Amino acid sequence: MILVTGGTGLVGSHLLYKLVSENKQVRAIYRRPHTINRVKHVFSYYNENHKALYDNIEWIKADLNDIPALEKAFKGITYVYHCAAFVSFEPNKYYQLRNVNIEGTANIVNLSISHHIKKLCYVSSVAAIGREANPNQLITEQTEWNPEEDNSVYAITKYGAEMELWRGTQEGVPAVIVNPGIILGPGFWKGGSSGNLFRLIHKGLKYYTTGTSGYVDVWDVCDIMFKLMQSDISNERFIVISENLSFEEFQQKTARALHVKPANKEANWLILEMGWRLDWILCKLFGKRRKLSKQLAKTVRTKTIYDNSKIKNALQMEFNAIDYSIDKVSEFYLKDTKQN
């Protein structure tokens, strides 16, 4: 039987559909009952018989730091997809991020060791990969992480989680790590998911930034995870991105797909520097949630380009074109918006 953590998240919910469609026996972890409805909604995108497919999932309530509940979840499990994570770039959420992303992953690794799991797949992030001094140089899986850089709290904890995975491989658990870029997918239009970008662009963003990052859709991510777990590949990490795009290009493409006007003003260096400082003041004086950290302000104006050749060669595959992915996600967004 397969265990999926983070089953009610973007990757987890689409992965669950992939697994049950492949007639796999699946158990999934959830924390809050109402979040399961998101999975049902994702299933409804794909199949008229989605209710019958959904009913094949065995659900267990468990927190990543609740060892007794996790012990119950691991009974009879042979393969684990660890998709659960806390996504935030707010500096004051550092200890919460550590608790979920590092300590929670350590628990999954420890239980995988004690239960003799055959293979473990971890969903990390390109944020856990190092940066190149030359912005025109491709970042690969071998690019070294520099702990002295001003890394975001999210990146620090995802890197720490990967260290737990590598520890697990040394203690007998074969594992693969996927490092996706910005994951595009439907069903989650608020919060830290990329779906929120579609919602904001649809509402009308005024500013764009010129930084660059890697993008991939959730269908490619899930397909790659499934194929890696079916393969003989182990103890490897893979950058999973389809294309490198500037944030300006992404906004333009998404606005076009959503039939709205794109942002027409650049958030330049001065605006971003003033922005994160004002954001910090509002947090300190009025307790407002951080929306723009110093590290995020730097990221959105920085050019980072990723090399996806390792995973393409390993699985002999090609990614979906990002234009196709944006159009597909936008179609689901507009459909959901109309229904609501």
Side-chain angles (χ1 to χ4, degrees):
M1 178 174 273
I2 296 169
L3 176 67
V4 176
T5 73
T8 59
L10 175 63
V11 174
S13 60
H14 289 269
L15 176 65
L16 286 173
Y17 181 82
K18 170 74 174 176
L19 293 172
V20 296
S21 297
E22 297 285 347
N23 297 314
K24 302 296 183 182
Q25 286 187 296
V26 183
R27 181 179 298 153
I29 290 174
Y30 73 95
R31 289 190 303 120
R32 297 185 298 273
H34 72 273
T35 60
I36 294 178
N37 291 327
R38 301 173 188 169
V39 184
K40 293 179 181 178
H41 184 61
V42 165
F43 273 47
S44 73
Y45 287 144
Y46 301 119
N47 195 308
E48 292 183 359
N49 194 35
H50 62 271
K51 290 183 179 179
L53 283 173
Y54 171 84
D55 288 340
N56 289 325
I57 303 169
E58 178 187 340
W59 289 97
I60 287 189
K61 185 176 182 181
D63 185 276
L64 290 184
N65 291 293
D66 183 349
I67 304 302
L70 288 178
E71 283 281 5
K72 181 180 178 182
F74 265 81
K75 287 184 178 179
I77 295 297
T78 51
Y79 295 91
V80 177
Y81 290 87
H82 181 32
C83 308
F86 178 43
V87 181
S88 175
F89 296 91
E90 300 175 65
N92 57 338
K93 297 290 178 67
Y94 175 65
Y95 291 103
Q96 188 177 349
L97 283 158
R98 282 192 61 90
N99 184 54
V100 176
N101 295 344
I102 298 179
E103 295 171 22
T105 298
N107 292 333
I108 295 299
V109 169
N110 291 338
L111 286 164
S112 295
I113 295 168
S114 63
H115 286 263
H116 306 290
I117 295 303
K118 293 182 179 179
K119 201 169 187 179
L120 169 62
C121 178
Y122 175 55
V123 183
S124 185
S125 167
V126 291
I129 295 177
R131 298 290 179 265
E132 293 289 350
N134 179 355
N136 294 313
Q137 185 170 342
L138 286 172
I139 295 169
T140 73
E141 290 82 357
Q142 300 305 314
T143 303
E144 291 188 11
W145 169 270
N146 182 2
E148 301 302 319
E149 282 191 12
D150 190 14
N151 298 298
S152 72
V153 288
Y154 175 68
I156 291 168
T157 58
K158 293 299 278 187
Y159 176 79
E162 286 195 15
M163 294 302 100
E164 294 296 336
L165 260 290
W166 297 133
R167 173 181 63 82
T169 63
Q170 296 300 308
E171 298 185 42
V173 178
V176 287
I177 296 175
V178 292
N179 295 87
I182 297 172
I183 304 173
L184 309 179
F188 297 78
W189 308 118
K190 295 182 180 180
S193 170
S194 66
N196 191 44
L197 294 174
F198 286 80
R199 183 177 68 87
L200 293 173
I201 292 170
H202 187 248
K203 289 176 65 177
L205 281 180
K206 294 182 179 180
Y207 291 93
Y208 64 85
T209 59
T210 55
T212 302
S213 191
Y215 294 80
V216 65
D217 69 36
V218 71
W219 302 287
D220 273 337
V221 173
C222 293
D223 191 47
I224 286 168
M225 292 168 65
F226 181 78
K227 288 178 179 176
L228 285 173
M229 289 290 271
Q230 296 286 108
S231 74
D232 294 328
I233 299 169
S234 63
N235 304 348
E236 297 278 356
R237 74 195 301 217
F238 297 92
I239 289 174
V240 177
I241 68 110
S242 171
E243 296 176 33
N244 295 292
L245 287 177
S246 72
F247 298 114
E248 179 185 10
E249 287 178 288
F250 172 75
Q251 284 196 42
Q252 290 175 342
K253 290 176 182 291
T254 304
R256 185 163 54 248
L258 293 172
H259 314 298
V260 297
K261 292 182 179 180
N264 57 8
K265 298 178 182 178
E266 180 186 349
N268 58 27
W269 175 86
L270 181 59
I271 290 174
L272 291 168
E273 286 296 302
M274 291 176 61
W276 76 257
R277 287 174 170 83
L278 177 60
D279 188 70
W280 180 85
I281 291 171
L282 291 174
C283 175
K284 291 297 182 181
L285 294 182
F286 304 107
K288 299 283 188 180
R289 286 193 62 177
R290 297 294 303 274
K291 295 181 180 179
L292 183 65
S293 67
K294 177 183 177 182
Q295 295 79 16
L296 186 56
K298 179 182 178 182
T299 296
V300 297
R301 67 174 189 265
T302 301
K303 182 179 181 181
T304 48
I305 52 176
Y306 298 92
D307 182 358
N308 63 5
S309 60
K310 182 178 179 181
I311 189 63
K312 289 172 70 174
N313 292 333
L315 297 181
Q316 295 297 300
M317 61 156 290
E318 292 294 332
F319 285 90
N320 291 325
I322 283 300
D323 281 354
Y324 164 83
S325 305
I326 290 173
D327 287 347
K328 190 173 180 180
V329 176
S330 296
E331 183 181 338
F332 282 122
Y333 174 81
L334 292 172
K335 182 180 179 181
D336 282 351
T337 302
K338 186 176 181 181
Q339 288 176 345
N340 294 332

